[in-house]
Amino acid sequence: LNEFDLIRRYFTPPTRHTVLAGGDDAALIAVRPEMEVAVSTDALVSGQHFFAEAEPRAIGYKSLAVNLSDLAAMGAIPRWATLSLTLPDADPVWLERFSEGFLSIAQDHDVDLIGGDTTRGALTVCVTIIGEVEAGRALRRSGARPGDELWVSGTIGDAALAVAHLRGDLVLQPAERAGAMQRLDYPQPRVKLGRGLLELATSCIDISDGLVADVGHLGECSGVHISIELDALPRSALALRYCDHPIGRRAVLAGGDDYELAFTAPAAHRSSLEALAGRGVALTCVGRVEPGSGVSVVDRSGVPMILAETGFDHFR
Amino acid sequence: LNEFDLIRRYFTPPTRHTVLAGGDDAALIAVRPEMEVAVSTDALVSGQHFFAEAEPRAIGYKSLAVNLSDLAAMGAIPRWATLSLTLPDADPVWLERFSEGFLSIAQDHDVDLIGGDTTRGALTVCVTIIGEVEAGRALRRSGARPGDELWVSGTIGDAALAVAHLRGDLVLQPAERAGAMQRLDYPQPRVKLGRGLLELATSCIDISDGLVADVGHLGECSGVHISIELDALPRSALALRYCDHPIGRRAVLAGGDDYELAFTAPAAHRSSLEALAGRGVALTCVGRVEPGSGVSVVDRSGVPMILAETGFDHFR
């Protein structure tokens, strides 16, 4: 298989809303009037974002999922993606599974794969996602105001517990491991939720670096202090079992791989948010926005915790 | 330096035509009415697209230049870029030079750097370029028609001679090496030419895989045969010196790093093209489009050459 055959065989599904995709020097897309274009890019690197022996289907799925999650956090509709794939060799079995994973989530979200390239080298998957959002209406990190409440979608901590298991830091039982691995390998980008938040949230971010770090970004961009109530954090049965274990506590505060949304909203929107949760993913109020700066986490006795490890940083 | 400091320090120049850049989950851009959006992505991988010891300024420059070249081949105006950088370590001297190279060509072409990410790993530079082109007017690979002429911009072969020198396949003298290295490290994307060709060319491609391979793409996409006249190919004084040497011949036919444009146009546009060349880069008529398929190269005696090596393919 040469480079062109490889792209033709695995990465040229039909497109549904693209003027010209693949096979030319650039793809052409038409953006609807009154829409701004949202663009995000994220590379997944073997040994950093996934284990080298990870299931290729999961790598393909997740490489698009994490980018979709970025658009979800903006309240944008994902529409198009490019894929730049660096591979040690052109293994047809690996490629078949990788492309299945990538294309299945692309189809679920009606995203057209419009271009990309392949190169020989260390396994790196670089995806750029492009979407649309009503002009002037995107959710940003900078709109949180004192008096707002902090919310988190779904449950958090499971993906980090899966990582801890894979690293040998703790041992999960087969049934709990399966659930945690599913959260790690197949995160559900909260695109529909992001759309629903357009009218309701004042700021929004996806939890990719860890809850405290990402809420810290909201606080920094908005110029406010955000207080998180530890016991309010939504956890699965598994994460609850580990809630007093240092690894479990770190998973929920600093584990970033769940790709849930953290957002702020005025207290007046509480019932609208509860109605939104009733139609989709659970939403939990987990803290509040105050004047000041920084993030604090308050434990069950009301005492602020000392935050040693607040997130993940590739170069720290 | 952590990941966020690194991005802040080296990769957040002011933007000039962007709604929201960097520092949020996605960037936001506004596309002008009546314009389609052109998108292309290309990764540069150490050891494949550049030598590991290459000057970081050149790597930064070239990673954007090759993407600009793709938009040039569509006749599009480059406007925005994302940069995903995978690095073995955060070396401030390397990063300073890399960002100088990247941002200098971005500024030359009025391109806003709107987002990206950094990860630790093998050196890989993945750029996505986004531009605008009048709806329905982009240059494609598929419009060549029998009777059209084939043209090439500038001169070709020098960059491949620089690669041959670096590989030790031939020895260039210091003065000729400097010129060839400049072509290899700092290719000039033909953006202005691409814009000028919108009314004149029937198909267009940038020469990145090698002349014969890339002209082959034009022929295949257009369903025509294209004949190239070897002696007509525009060469620098250096490439002319090597024109009968096997390496020199391969450089001009299969060397792809010059990033010139190859395009077809009706013979009736010859004088318009000559006028266009008078205002910018040289344009040379090097062949013609005929019914059929495939590419042929005819030498000075009119005999079709046997093409053993027609281009570069990462997985062949």
Side-chain angles (χ1 to χ4, degrees):
Chain A
L1 283 181
N2 69 32
E3 180 181 359
F4 306 110
D5 296 336
L6 191 159
I7 290 172
R8 254 192 295 264
R9 182 182 301 187
Y10 297 108
F11 299 109
T12 46
T15 56
R16 284 174 284 195
H17 42 74
T18 298
V19 178
L20 177 68
D24 213 305
D25 291 272
L28 296 171
I29 59 182
V31 175
R32 289 174 285 187
E34 312 305 320
M35 301 298 259
E36 279 169 0
V37 179
V39 182
S40 186
T41 192
D42 260 311
L44 263 66
V45 177
S46 179
Q48 294 286 334
H49 300 93
F50 54 86
F51 293 85
E53 63 278 17
E55 168 57 35
R57 195 173 199 287
I59 300 172
Y61 175 98
K62 192 167 177 177
S63 66
L64 184 53
V66 304
N67 279 279
L68 291 170
S69 180
D70 280 322
L71 289 202
M74 302 298 288
I77 308 164
R79 301 266 289 161
W80 304 279
T82 64
L83 167 64
S84 181
L85 190 56
T86 306
L87 287 172
D89 48 50
D91 168 0
V93 174
W94 194 96
L95 279 161
E96 179 82 34
R97 293 195 186 147
F98 176 91
S99 83
E100 267 174 29
F102 188 96
L103 297 177
S104 72
I105 184 169
Q107 188 164 3
D108 290 348
H109 288 271
D110 198 23
V111 166
D112 282 354
L113 176 60
I114 58 170
D117 68 341
T118 59
T119 310
R120 193 183 292 274
L123 181 56
T124 305
V125 188
C126 179
V127 173
T128 299
I129 185 84
I130 303 176
E132 295 174 312
V133 59
E134 292 76 5
R137 298 266 310 282
L139 299 172
R140 302 184 179 203
R141 296 180 178 178
S142 52
R145 294 293 169 260
D148 285 354
E149 293 173 324
L150 175 70
W151 295 73
V152 166
S153 66
T155 61
I156 57 176
D158 284 15
L161 288 171
V163 172
H165 174 89
L166 290 170
R167 285 192 178 137
D169 296 337
L170 56 74
V171 179
L172 299 180
Q173 300 309 308
E176 34 181 45
R177 189 180 66 214
M181 284 301 299
Q182 182 72 16
R183 289 299 305 269
L184 177 64
D185 286 344
Y186 296 97
Q188 301 289 317
R190 302 304 188 186
V191 173
K192 196 176 158 200
L193 172 60
R195 295 292 295 161
L197 292 177
L198 274 190
E199 299 292 341
L200 300 173
T202 52
S203 73
C204 187
I205 192 169
D206 74 325
I207 307 176
S208 58
D209 293 324
L211 177 68
V212 172
D214 288 317
V215 170
H217 296 316
L218 293 183
E220 192 182 343
C221 293
S222 300
V224 295
H225 173 84
I226 303 181
S227 163
I228 299 172
E229 205 178 322
L230 180 65
D231 280 2
L233 294 176
R235 277 170 266 211
S236 68
L238 170 65
L240 278 173
R241 278 225 301 120
Y242 284 92
C243 72
D244 289 323
H245 189 294
I247 291 177
R249 190 164 281 194
R250 188 186 183 284
V252 79
L253 290 176
D257 271 313
D258 294 306
Y259 293 95
E260 296 293 348
L261 297 184
F263 60 92
T264 58
H269 287 165
R270 182 177 270 266
S271 62
S272 301
L273 289 167
E274 284 163 354
L276 188 63
R279 298 193 301 273
V281 62
L283 301 176
T284 308
C285 179
V286 300
R288 59 182 190 278
V289 181
E290 295 160 353
S293 65
V295 176
S296 59
V297 179
V298 178
D299 71 11
R300 67 194 62 167
S301 53
V303 178
M305 296 172 63
I306 293 164
L307 299 169
E309 280 191 298
T310 56
F312 187 76
D313 178 326
H314 294 291
F315 290 98
R316 190 171 282 164
Chain B
L1 281 182
N2 69 31
E3 180 181 358
F4 305 111
D5 296 336
L6 191 159
I7 291 172
R8 253 192 295 264
R9 181 182 302 187
Y10 297 107
F11 299 110
T12 46
T15 55
R16 284 174 285 195
H17 42 73
T18 298
V19 178
L20 177 68
D24 213 306
D25 290 90
L28 296 172
I29 59 182
V31 175
R32 288 174 286 186
E34 312 305 321
M35 301 298 259
E36 279 168 0
V37 179
V39 182
S40 186
T41 193
D42 260 311
L44 263 65
V45 177
S46 179
Q48 294 286 332
H49 300 93
F50 55 86
F51 293 84
E53 63 279 16
E55 168 57 36
R57 195 173 200 287
I59 300 172
Y61 176 98
K62 192 167 176 176
S63 66
L64 184 53
V66 303
N67 279 280
L68 291 170
S69 180
D70 281 321
L71 289 202
M74 303 297 288
I77 308 164
R79 302 266 289 161
W80 304 279
T82 64
L83 167 64
S84 181
L85 189 56
T86 306
L87 289 171
D89 49 51
D91 169 0
V93 174
W94 193 96
L95 279 161
E96 178 83 34
R97 292 196 186 145
F98 176 91
S99 82
E100 267 174 29
F102 188 96
L103 296 177
S104 72
I105 183 169
Q107 188 165 3
D108 290 349
H109 288 270
D110 199 24
V111 166
D112 282 354
L113 175 60
I114 58 170
D117 69 341
T118 58
T119 310
R120 192 183 292 275
L123 182 55
T124 304
V125 188
C126 180
V127 173
T128 299
I129 184 85
I130 303 176
E132 295 175 311
V133 59
E134 291 76 5
R137 298 267 308 283
L139 299 171
R140 301 183 179 203
R141 296 180 177 178
S142 53
R145 295 291 169 262
D148 286 354
E149 293 173 323
L150 175 70
W151 296 73
V152 166
S153 66
T155 62
I156 57 176
D158 283 15
L161 288 171
V163 172
H165 174 89
L166 290 170
R167 285 192 178 138
D169 297 337
L170 56 73
V171 179
L172 299 181
Q173 300 309 309
E176 33 182 46
R177 189 180 66 213
M181 284 300 300
Q182 182 71 17
R183 289 299 307 269
L184 177 64
D185 286 345
Y186 296 96
Q188 301 288 320
R190 301 305 187 188
V191 174
K192 197 176 158 199
L193 172 61
R195 295 292 296 161
L197 292 177
L198 274 190
E199 299 293 341
L200 300 172
T202 51
S203 71
C204 187
I205 192 169
D206 74 325
I207 307 175
S208 57
D209 294 324
L211 178 69
V212 172
D214 288 318
V215 169
H217 295 316
L218 292 183
E220 192 182 344
C221 294
S222 300
V224 294
H225 174 83
I226 304 180
S227 162
I228 300 171
E229 206 178 320
L230 180 65
D231 281 1
L233 294 176
R235 277 170 267 210
S236 68
L238 169 65
L240 277 173
R241 278 226 300 121
Y242 285 91
C243 72
D244 289 323
H245 189 293
I247 291 176
R249 189 164 282 194
R250 188 186 184 284
V252 81
L253 290 176
D257 271 313
D258 293 306
Y259 293 95
E260 295 293 349
L261 297 184
F263 60 93
T264 59
H269 288 165
R270 182 178 270 266
S271 61
S272 302
L273 289 167
E274 284 163 354
L276 187 64
R279 298 193 301 272
V281 63
L283 300 176
T284 309
C285 180
V286 301
R288 59 184 192 278
V289 181
E290 294 160 352
S293 65
V295 177
S296 58
V297 179
V298 179
D299 71 11
R300 67 195 62 167
S301 53
V303 177
M305 295 172 63
I306 292 163
L307 300 168
E309 282 191 298
T310 56
F312 186 77
D313 179 325
H314 294 290
F315 291 98
R316 190 171 283 163

